[in-house]
């Protein structure tokens, strides 16, 4: 399920990149060696290019680096994965409560699981989450969990006034 390149019959080694769900379009891509195949001992330059709304964070796998462009000189097969991240904006448009995101980070890596916690003020009850991510739309239970699977995520929490006497 990754991009493979290499020719063992001619002494080649494989250098391949793994993108989540192979979703190169919309997340990012890797520019580099033709077919990601190199001869043992030769250098290859790989560059991670993020799509709009995403930013490159780091390489994981057999290479650990935070540089968008890396030069590798493999002596064995390598598996390298570019990691991209995006932002998450959490708001309470109508007020009367708070919306917390756990963990609270500046950027969230693709595939990360994030917990949304809506806490009403006294006299109000949690109503629902909403936003531009399917796993939050219309969810009436707090807390709930979403997965970072699109760029520039926006989520909201809404609260309703409780009727009757305060307990």
């Amino acid at each position: 399920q990754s991009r493979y390149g290499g020719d063992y019959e001619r002494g080649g080694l494989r250098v391949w990149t793994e993108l989540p769900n192979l979703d190169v379009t919309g997340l990012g891509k890797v520019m580099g060696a033709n077919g990601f195949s190199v001869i043992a001992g030769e250098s290859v330059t790989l560059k991670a290019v993020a799509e709009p709304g995403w930013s490159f964070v780091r390489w994981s796998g057999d290479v650990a680096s935070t540089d968008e462009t890396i030069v590798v000189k493999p002596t064995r097969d390598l598996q390298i994965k570019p990691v991209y991240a995006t932002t998450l904006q959490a708001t309470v448009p109508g007020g009367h409560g708070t919306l917390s995101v756990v963990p609270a980070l500046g950027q969230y890596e693709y595939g990360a699981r994030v917990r949304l916690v809506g806490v009403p003020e006294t006299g109000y009850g949690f109503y629902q989450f909403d936003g531009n991510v399917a796993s939050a739309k219309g969810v009436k239970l707090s807390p709930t969990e979403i997965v970072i699977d699109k760029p520039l995520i926006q989520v909201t929490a809404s609260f309703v006034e409780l009727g009757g006497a305060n307990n």
Side-chain angles (χ1 to χ4, degrees):
Q1 293 187 8
S2 301
R3 287 185 75 164
Y4 294 98
D7 186 344
Y8 284 110
E9 288 73 31
R10 293 193 304 220
L13 293 174
R14 292 181 297 190
V15 175
W16 68 86
T17 62
E18 176 191 341
L19 290 165
N21 300 328
L22 299 180
D23 183 15
V24 175
T25 304
L27 185 63
K29 58 188 168 199
V30 176
M31 318 261 300
N34 185 20
F36 300 92
S37 177
V38 296
I39 302 298
E42 284 187 1
S43 294
V44 61
T45 300
L46 300 175
K47 180 176 182 173
V49 180
E51 293 290 329
W54 294 98
S55 59
F56 172 77
V57 178
R58 61 186 167 86
W59 295 95
S60 69
D62 292 325
V63 172
S65 175
T66 56
D67 296 329
E68 286 182 5
T69 302
I70 56 172
V71 177
V72 292
K73 189 173 185 178
T75 56
R76 61 180 175 82
D77 287 356
L78 298 178
Q79 186 169 0
I80 304 167
K81 178 180 177 181
V83 178
Y84 298 97
T86 191
T87 58
L88 186 157
Q89 180 183 13
T91 59
V92 182
H96 306 296
T98 60
L99 173 54
S100 300
V101 179
V102 181
L105 304 172
Q107 292 208 320
Y108 295 86
E109 293 182 2
Y110 178 89
R113 294 186 174 281
V114 178
R115 191 172 175 92
L116 303 178
V117 183
V119 178
E121 294 175 350
T122 303
Y124 287 82
F126 174 78
Y127 178 63
Q128 75 178 16
F129 293 111
D130 204 352
N132 66 349
V133 60
S135 54
K137 279 190 185 298
V139 174
K140 300 204 181 281
L141 294 173
S142 176
T144 194
E145 188 175 84
I146 63 170
V147 176
I148 304 300
D149 60 0
K150 65 179 292 175
L152 308 174
I153 292 178
Q154 297 176 352
V155 292
T156 63
S158 56
F159 303 91
V160 294
E161 191 169 6
L162 299 175
N166 290 335
N167 294 336

